[in-house]
Amino acid sequence: MPAAVICSSGTAVANLLPAVVEASQSNVPLLLLTADRPYELRDTGANQTIDQVKICGGYTRWSSDVTPPSDHVPGRVIVSTADTAVRYCVTGPRPGPVHLNFQFREPLAPRSSEWDPDQFLRGLEHWMQSAEPYTSAIAGQGSNTALHPATPCYTHQQQQQVLGTVQPQPHMQLQQQIQSHRSNGHSHPQQQHAATVQL
């Protein structure tokens, strides 16, 4: 199981970087749970507010900037985020640190407020009666899903039926014309320049 580190917003998060680097280099599961101010207070000079999004750079296996609590955000989004964080933290060829950055609005002190629990919990009824994770990784070919691609769901013909045929964009058509022109032995610099300007 991963070790969980919980800290407040601001420079306290920056103090976690040495531990994150060590955990990343050693493939040690580490779950960073950091508090943050809401998005509307970022870049405003608000107290105890710095840019915490992806603050650990490439030393985390995965990170997510979690929206402030609201009954307009379905609970299944939060649960799916937590499932994904734990999966990246403890499974795969390289376990390691994962960062969940939780935004909170004031007041932070406990107080009753209006919210719609039915709306927030919609879609979680079956999961709340189960001991299983809400989401699971898609099984791939072979024993190690992290090293093998998932089995395709559709044939090429079925994909065209579902998605339709993608038409080349004008700039792609022009690039194809230039390539065809060059392959026929025509490579006059002025002609190439004129074609490029049309982009």
Side-chain angles (χ1 to χ4, degrees):
M1 296 297 291
V5 179
I6 303 173
C7 80
S8 58
S9 65
T11 55
V13 181
N15 288 324
L16 300 178
L17 184 58
V20 173
V21 174
E22 292 288 346
S24 179
Q25 297 298 98
S26 305
N27 297 331
V28 173
L30 184 65
L31 192 57
L32 307 177
L33 308 173
T34 59
D36 199 358
R37 308 301 297 278
Y39 52 82
E40 66 268 16
L41 292 182
R42 294 174 178 172
D43 298 322
T44 64
N47 185 42
Q48 209 169 335
T49 306
I50 65 171
D51 185 359
Q52 299 178 194
V53 179
K54 297 187 177 179
I55 192 171
C56 299
Y59 290 105
T60 53
R61 303 296 185 262
W62 188 76
S63 64
S64 180
D65 191 27
V66 183
T67 188
S70 169
D71 55 3
H72 298 294
V73 178
R76 58 186 180 273
V77 173
I78 307 301
V79 176
S80 297
T81 301
D83 280 358
T84 303
V86 172
R87 187 162 60 248
Y88 273 94
C89 191
V90 300
T91 63
R94 292 190 65 212
V98 165
H99 181 199
L100 292 180
N101 189 56
F102 293 96
Q103 303 173 46
F104 293 100
R105 291 193 176 96
E106 293 183 345
L108 301 178
R111 76 170 190 180
S112 59
S113 59
E114 293 184 5
W115 77 297
D116 184 353
D118 293 334
Q119 179 176 344
F120 180 79
L121 297 173
R122 187 173 297 126
L124 295 176
E125 297 84 0
H126 178 73
W127 171 75
M128 289 189 293
Q129 304 298 323
S130 169
E132 298 297 321
Y134 182 67
T135 62
S136 59
I138 298 174
Q141 297 174 349
S143 58
N144 193 332
T145 58
L147 298 179
H148 296 272
T151 304
C153 298
Y154 297 102
T155 65
H156 179 68
Q157 184 178 5
Q158 290 171 327
Q159 288 175 352
Q160 286 187 333
Q161 291 174 352
V162 174
L163 302 175
T165 303
V166 178
Q167 298 297 328
Q169 298 297 317
H171 70 277
M172 295 175 64
Q173 293 176 335
L174 185 55
Q175 287 176 346
Q176 291 171 355
Q177 290 173 3
I178 294 172
Q179 187 64 33
S180 174
H181 186 75
R182 289 176 179 168
S183 63
N184 290 332
H186 304 288
S187 57
H188 194 280
Q190 292 182 349
Q191 292 174 331
Q192 292 181 13
H193 179 69
T196 305
V197 169
Q198 293 177 13
L199 288 173

